Amino acid sequence: MDLELQALEKVFAGSADKEPVEVLNDFSCLIGGGGFVCLVGPSGCGKTTLLRIIAGLDKASGGRVLFGGREVISSKDLAVGFVFQEYALFPWRTTIQNITMGLEIKGVPSKERVARGMEYVAAFGLSGFEHHYPRELSGGMKQRVAIARTLIMEPSLVLMDEPFGSLDSQTRNSMQELLVGLWEKRHDTIIFVTHNVDEAVFLSDEIIVLSSRPARIVERVRVACERPRDRTSIECNAVRRSVLGILSRRSPDQS
Amino acid sequence: MKSRSCLAPLAVLAIWQALSAAGVIPANLLPSPWMIVKGLRDLIIVGMPPEHLLHNHIIYSLLRVLAGFLAACAVGMPLGLVMGWSKMVRDMVSPFVEILRPVPPLAWIPIAILWFGIGMKSAAFIIFLGAFFPILLNTILGVTSLNPILLEAARTLRARERDIFLKVLLPGAIPSIFVGVRIGMGIGWMTLVAAEFTGVKEGYGLGYMIMTARDIQRSDEILAGMLVIGVIGLFINFCLRVLEARFVRWQ
Amino acid sequence: MRRRVFAAIVCLLIIAFNVAVSYGDGKPVRIGYLQNDIHQLACWVAIEKGFYLAEGLEVLVAGIFKAGPEEMSAFAAGALDMGYVGEAPATTAVANGTAHVTVVAQVNTEGSAIVVEKSANMTTLKDLVGKIVAVPGHATVQDFLLKKALVQHSLGQKELSIMVLKPPEMIGALSTGQIGAFIAWEPYPAKAITMGIGRVLVSSREIWKDHPCCVLVADDSFLQERPNEAKAMVRAHVKATEFINAQPLEAIRIGVKYTGMDEDTVRLAMENVTYTYVISREGELEYVDFLSRMRYISVEDPGAFVRRFLNGDYIREITGR
């Protein structure tokens, strides 16, 4: 199903000592279903706000979000998976309890929940840790739980807000491979926010480069490399250079 | 480590006993540790007032505190959850809470006696007042200090209001609630003795026992009674901590 | 030369002035009494009529207490030099070693009563079985009288429920039905009557005729260090006691002033009290015996204890009795 953003506006109201901040202004975009899209742009440009509006966590000041032709107003309207940068795991729940939280809310009976949960535990390489609490898990494991928690709901749209931002590069690379592997099985629509161009090049079919605040689409770059991707291949490098070039042109003082 | 932590109290006791035996500490002002031990024996065997034995005093006092404490939980926790969750409710109820909170539970005694008479109910009410505010405030804190991102994560998992309340707010607030429970119980136990000073119909209670010991001028039994109260308070806190550790394993 | 003489005279004058001023002066005598206890009227009379002043005494009311045991605690803490207090709490405190005081004069006999609700269907002590009876405190004279009365009527203590209440709260508790009866010192029984709430079921006279009730005690260290002032205090007390018996109307007025109660109540209360300063040895022996049986105190040699506890010398010297 296609995701269409129509003339989105978002203004954060000012306060006594702060001016109102305009984060999005007349932002329109059409993203075809089934693809892996990365949003890349300078920090503070509004990528996260955009993602949250799509998920229904924040309300736009103006404009509309349509998914499969139906308008999205709040998080209730859409089966969206959202992966936060800070994991957002429920600390009082074990790994498997976190993963099956959505199923529990849905009312899936306990035996089935556990069965499906254990499948994902295995798929995400968390076997042996299913009864551990988040505080006992490493950063990479926590993010795996967070993603598993999202994907087990089989949402048609998955939004990820810099999920690997706080991981070391080795863990990040293996997580990227895991994610791509999972995506290739099901081909959900994934919108992935990052400011790491290498990551975007490795993961996505298309990179949408955003300007600084208020965010505007500068360019949409197709990543025409074959999967499985070699990070050091010539094609990947070319795309990387191109994207980096776009970014540096828009904000010459950012390196 | 454990044996070393016993050293200081034992040394204090030894010095105290020596000073008392030497007459440096007058017996009528502060009985010696040995006299307090004998006073404890009298409380257990003879009772104060005579034939009112210690174990019965303990039972009655525990019952009173339990009654007041459970009432405080029953009112404080739900109210705290709602006040934490809804800013509107919080704004409406807070003024009352803030005015009543500084009033010491003991100041309520005349009113309590008027409303509930002399006996278990008014003592439980005083204890309720002591335990209520920590429980309420810590429950509110538990909810308001919950990381909002957890609420958002729940929303993205299609949680309805009821799910958020039961599956996120409540479990998330439990550590703070437990803190409130421990503090509330501690204050409730402290308030007990004073609450019983006002009058006890059933003839039993640790505060009543101490007051009677005072009337009969048995300082050794007064101090022995205080010791019992302190030890029981310690024990209650210990039990609550064990319970807390079980419930808050994830922290 | 003239300057030195002048300086010497000034010094001498200063010394003389200090000596004159401090003679018979110095620290005030700290006394205590029970709140609203008409038994202790002599104390108030002595204050109002200036009897203490006439003896050259500076008296400071260092404490007004709700019941005897509290006053004894104050003695234990060294906060009082002399005090008007019930004989039972004083005996208990001394026997248990918390306070060191000596009785130097009697204050009154009788003057307590067991009060029940006016309309209650009770005629004798036996009707109190199963009820709650309030006393001002354990080991008070009233507690003692109640238990003595129970023994006289062959009733066991367990047959009724004794609870401790401060006397000001007793009338309220009686009127709201929280207690079935109370025993207190006058004027509380009188007040219950004049308020139309209660009536006397048993008076202290019926329990123990002419029983000594309140005494004037002095801290042992005060007696040792300032015996002249102690004697002066007793003299003032004797004068006050005689005054009450000689001029009852004026005494009532003073009673009204110190209790805040109306004249009828005070008059009714005083009818039940006998004001006397003669110490009763038998009375004290009775107290020691009963308190021992109650296991509140344990005294090896009651005779020796009483001899030490009561000191009739002052009264004998002053009045010859």
Side-chain angles (χ1 to χ4, degrees), chain A residues 100-219:
Chain A
T100 57
M101 174 71 153
L103 298 178
E104 201 181 302
I105 291 174
K106 214 166 156 188
V108 172
S110 163
K111 260 212 276 234
E112 192 186 329
R113 272 204 324 258
V114 172
R116 299 243 306 248
M118 290 305 288
E119 271 176 44
Y120 274 74
V121 163
F124 277 74
L126 293 163
S127 299
F129 290 90
E130 54 268 19
H131 298 302
H132 284 212
Y133 289 101
R135 79 174 159 93
E136 299 169 292
L137 304 175
S138 69
M141 291 165 84
K142 283 198 271 228
Q143 201 52 289
R144 270 183 270 166
V145 176
I147 297 176
R149 179 176 72 184
T150 305
L151 294 185
I152 199 175
M153 301 303 291
E154 299 181 340
S156 7
L157 178 62
V158 180
L159 306 173
M160 303 178 104
D161 186 5
E162 301 197 56
F164 307 143
S166 38
L167 303 176
D168 64 275
S169 62
Q170 249 176 319
T171 315
R172 179 186 298 149
N173 285 355
S174 56
M175 292 293 289
Q176 289 164 3
E177 285 158 20
L178 173 67
L179 183 59
V180 169
L182 285 168
W183 171 74
E184 285 188 320
K185 293 206 194 104
R186 290 165 35 85
H187 276 277
D188 309 314
T189 310
I190 298 188
I191 304 184
F192 189 106
V193 164
T194 178
H195 57 244
N196 184 322
V197 177
D198 296 349
E199 186 169 61
V201 170
F202 181 78
L203 290 174
S204 50
D205 297 327
E206 182 182 3
I207 300 178
I208 299 182
V209 182
L210 300 174
S211 69
S212 50
R213 197 172 62 214
R216 284 216 150 80
I217 297 184
V218 175
E219 198 162 326

Side-chain angles (χ1 to χ4, degrees), chain A residues 52 57 75-80 82 84 86 88-93 101-102 104-105 133 135 149 153, chain B residues 146 149-161 163 167-169 171-173 248-251:
Chain A
R52 289 171 60 88
L57 293 173
S75 57
K76 297 206 230 323
D77 301 326
L78 186 56
V80 155
F82 200 107
F84 299 82
E86 311 95 323
L89 296 184
F90 302 109
W92 53 87
R93 286 180 160 245
M101 174 71 153
E104 201 181 302
I105 291 174
Y133 289 101
R135 79 174 159 93
R149 179 176 72 184
M153 301 303 291
Chain B
L146 207 59
I149 211 182
L150 294 176
L151 299 170
E152 293 185 335
R155 286 217 176 84
T156 63
L157 294 169
R158 317 298 295 286
R160 294 148 297 186
E161 292 298 295
D163 297 315
K167 295 188 202 289
V168 183
L169 278 185
V248 189
R249 258 180 314 185
W250 45 268
Q251 257 201 334

